[in-house]
Amino acid sequence: MRGQFHFKDDFVYKMPVHFSGHPFYPVRVVYGDMTCISVPFETDPESIARFVPEDFELLKPRVDVQYSNCRDVDWMAGGEYRLIQVSVPVRYMGNGEGLVGDYVLVIWENKACPIIGGREEDGMPKLYADIPSERHKEEHWYTGASYEGCTFLSMDFHRQEEVELKSGAVENHREINFFGWRYIPDLGKGGAALSQATLYPQEMDVVRMWTGEGSLSWIDLGAERHPGQFSIIHELARLPVVRWMEASMFKGSARLNVADSRVLS
Amino acid sequence: MRGQFHFKDDFVYKMPVHFSGHPFYPVRVVYGDMTCISVPFETDPESIARFVPEDFELLKPRVDVQYSNCRDVDWMAGGEYRLIQVSVPVRYMGNGEGLVGDYVLVIWENKACPIIGGREEDGMPKLYADIPSERHKEEHWYTGASYEGCTFLSMDFHRQEEVELKSGAVENHREINFFGWRYIPDLGKGGAALSQATLYPQEMDVVRMWTGEGSLSWIDLGAERHPGQFSIIHELARLPVVRWMEASMFKGSARLNVADSRVLS
Amino acid sequence: MRGQFHFKDDFVYKMPVHFSGHPFYPVRVVYGDMTCISVPFETDPESIARFVPEDFELLKPRVDVQYSNCRDVDWMAGGEYRLIQVSVPVRYMGNGEGLVGDYVLVIWENKACPIIGGREEDGMPKLYADIPSERHKEEHWYTGASYEGCTFLSMDFHRQEEVELKSGAVENHREINFFGWRYIPDLGKGGAALSQATLYPQEMDVVRMWTGEGSLSWIDLGAERHPGQFSIIHELARLPVVRWMEASMFKGSARLNVADSRVLS
Amino acid sequence: MRGQFHFKDDFVYKMPVHFSGHPFYPVRVVYGDMTCISVPFETDPESIARFVPEDFELLKPRVDVQYSNCRDVDWMAGGEYRLIQVSVPVRYMGNGEGLVGDYVLVIWENKACPIIGGREEDGMPKLYADIPSERHKEEHWYTGASYEGCTFLSMDFHRQEEVELKSGAVENHREINFFGWRYIPDLGKGGAALSQATLYPQEMDVVRMWTGEGSLSWIDLGAERHPGQFSIIHELARLPVVRWMEASMFKGSARLNVADSRVLS
């Protein structure tokens, strides 16, 4: 008997395709309760440009490392996950739009479901790591990332003062263009089946914010302890830190405009 | 400053692309220590054909549900993960090769790393679930799958007798063609950026084997408790079980011939 | 060479004793961010009295099952864990104080550290279970408990209306006497090395509260799937539910007055 | 209505007592599949004697650090857990028996159930840690321990040669006396409710064994990152390593003679 599953034109599928399929509609997902710690630093432009595709222009030699504790995530029925994202400010030069945003170098997340969707549907370079919830002793906050029991990143933040946010002020609403590079390899040989710059717009409403001093400590695990990601950790660990910039902690909610994701060309 | 990263022809990349890239070589991964429980059942052909793409012919109305405890996985530095795979026997009709194998309906795995690679590099429809190690009370063995604390599959196996395997016999070496459907959606609209049947050949050397009686119990979690996968569980839960076929447990090692994966056309 | 470790009079130790020891001081631990769902039901007095020691009088045939998501726990450096507690309202009759409170039948917690302390230092009958964070679809909230992938309790709460709490009102500050039975067995024979009723006072400041309808669904896992706790689950599963009482959800902070714990006699 | 639960003479209970109770019988638990890595080192006698109670005599200034991957554990229905145990060779001097064995300084385990039983029923100083399964790159094996994503111990073993074990030889059957100190504190003040040396005899049948070189690397997490155990890690981290002794890896099965546990006096 012949298989009965066939694709409908313009439907949206995801693997496993044969259990999926629905008309396109503009998905926007809401993250109702976010707690973020951002630890940026200035680096050397040559060092960081090696990891930015030629279609982008590096705007500043600044690396943003941001931890987010994502709670009340609507597409997870109000569930939660945590992530640490590394990005750099860029302009997309591959077309005439002059889009400005952040090129994402890597995102570690502690659940598989958002990783799969983010990679395949938005070109976000998500990988798995264990990421504990933020903890603190008085105003010293910390978190980090580990793989199979081996810590590879410690993040520290010494919280200093709260920033007074004017109610309803425009600066509390942040719109950010995240850029990724979606890539699916050919099978059985080198080369790409799909290779393209992507845009993934997100918004955040900040309701509380603090500034302070932050720092990062990378542990270069090596190929034996982390065969899949050691080179990524190694490259980030050896990026020069010219100076630590003002770090911050903030709380609020976010909206990920999945339906506004698009291929750049 | 312009980004410096560019792709080299015929190199192999994976996201994040800018930290990757190497010449193609024929990867074959070895799983040194596998313990599997296979619980097949006969179903109704019409019911199951709905989930098999038209390019395949259903050979038998048989559903194989196989649990594997994968240990000493070489690409994980000897680490481990567990999976439950659902497949049906098919012939690929999309070309003249007449390839026979198993079309994979879904694979649940309890670690993100093999999920990412399996989906993007082999078109295997892998999803995340918590899968405990097999346990037993005397000869009653069991395992299952759950999501965020909600069990959705219980697998039971009553082990009866060991099958004497002739040392070096050809039937102890199983070569299996697994078929998938690799699909990457377009962004911001319906339709596919990539949609193709894939072949993923695997081999297993069985060193011990037992037969017995098996059964499966699906719990239809519903959209509230499992928003991302409820329809998959729902469809599998309502597949008619015409009869349970002989179940088995076996131990051995496997070789996944990643480099022999290819797009079918 | 003789061991050098010796106990100091009136110091406080915990296992491993030789790494511990400090003068007594009145520990009070603060749980800065609590989200609780309470699902009480009326049962049959004879059925529940079987599980209450003779030194207590059952005040009402009411069983309280309360889920707590404990965050910003000071002794865990602001970390978090979750628990589900089952208790009944009682009066302690073993002395002339006439203390009224809740006798705790069982507490499942998803981290080992609070389990150890609660059992040994307060006589609280804590056991391990996996307990996911509360999730919801609109106003239908749910959570539960599982062991090695096998769900044994589902808790549902349909939230209806928020209760207006008067700022600073006395009813927002709840003081509760929890009673336990601390028991350490003899070794190599039956009988107790230690067996005593205990008092563990706690306080909670409620800042938001909602009422609604709740229900519980127990799954009787059996000795094979949960050899250590099947009889506990079995007994709770077969308690008659005469009627579901008003359920509630509340948020606030708690103070556990560990130093006011005492042996009752 | 008065509570109906009462203790029966000579029955065995564990918390929650009111759901438990059975006549004493000699429990012996079998661990069918053990993989262990033992990394001993010589230390300074004064340094280590500080952590050994006066009732014991230190036989050698030797610290044994042993990782065990425990599988097919009968009381867990064939389930598994992992542990890292630190012990020193001693003679018990508190009575005239002259018992020789190992005083256990600490045991980290990655599941709560064996921790609870081991502490309360055998006086074993068990604590929680995340402990990944052993992994290896060729003959370099490693594992470790972490807490909430923070590694505090890395264990490395370079396997060199397999030891030929004579079938049935007496040296393959190891009987070991483990000593602990069972301690339960008074409530609401300093001092002990229970404080006693304990004996916990165990046996192991070794079926394969390798020797090699081992080493340990402790990371002194500090009170902020590990408030409950930082001082234990700190003390172990600063023990002088006079020399690394021959390390080994072995596989086999174990029998824990719980019923032969007894209080020493």
Side-chain angles (χ1 to χ4, degrees), chain A residues 130 132-133 135-137 140-152 154-156 158 223-227, chain D residues 130 132-133 135-137 140-152 154-156 158 223-227:
Chain A
D130 290 312
S133 64
R135 277 154 295 150
H136 67 106
K137 171 87 172 176
H140 173 201
W141 294 76
Y142 61 90
T143 183
S146 65
Y147 173 76
E148 299 277 356
C150 300
T151 309
F152 64 84
S154 296
M155 175 187 272
D156 288 88
H158 293 268
E224 301 204 349
R225 277 189 157 76
H226 201 346
Chain D
D130 291 311
S133 63
R135 277 155 295 151
H136 67 107
K137 171 87 171 175
H140 173 202
W141 294 76
Y142 62 89
T143 182
S146 66
Y147 173 76
E148 300 277 356
C150 301
T151 309
F152 64 83
S154 296
M155 175 186 273
D156 288 89
H158 292 270
E224 302 204 349
R225 278 189 155 77
H226 201 347

Side-chain angles (χ1 to χ4, degrees), chain C residues 34-64:
Chain C
M34 303 265 299
T35 300
C36 306
I37 298 173
S38 173
V39 177
F41 64 92
E42 187 183 321
T43 189
D44 167 62
E46 272 74 25
S47 300
I48 192 66
R50 290 185 301 131
F51 306 118
V52 176
E54 294 169 320
D55 285 1
F56 296 91
E57 183 186 50
L58 184 69
L59 295 180
K60 284 181 226 157
R62 169 187 168 117
V63 179
D64 281 291

Side-chain angles (χ1 to χ4, degrees), chain A residues 10-31:
Chain A
D10 297 330
F11 265 40
V12 175
Y13 295 88
K14 56 182 72 175
M15 294 182 266
V17 289
H18 43 267
F19 291 121
S20 75
H22 57 75
F24 178 79
Y25 59 85
V27 176
R28 279 176 180 72
V29 295
V30 174
Y31 286 44

Side-chain angles (χ1 to χ4, degrees), chain C residues 84-128:
Chain C
I84 290 177
Q85 174 172 306
V86 182
S87 66
V88 291
V90 296
R91 177 180 288 113
Y92 181 64
M93 309 294 282
N95 63 20
E97 296 181 75
L99 281 170
V100 164
D102 266 39
Y103 181 71
V104 180
L105 295 179
V106 66
I107 309 175
W108 283 286
E109 301 192 338
N110 74 334
K111 289 205 178 157
C113 297
I115 291 175
I116 294 170
R119 291 176 66 95
E120 296 176 15
E121 294 160 36
D122 305 295
M124 289 291 113
K126 297 182 172 191
L127 297 173
Y128 184 84

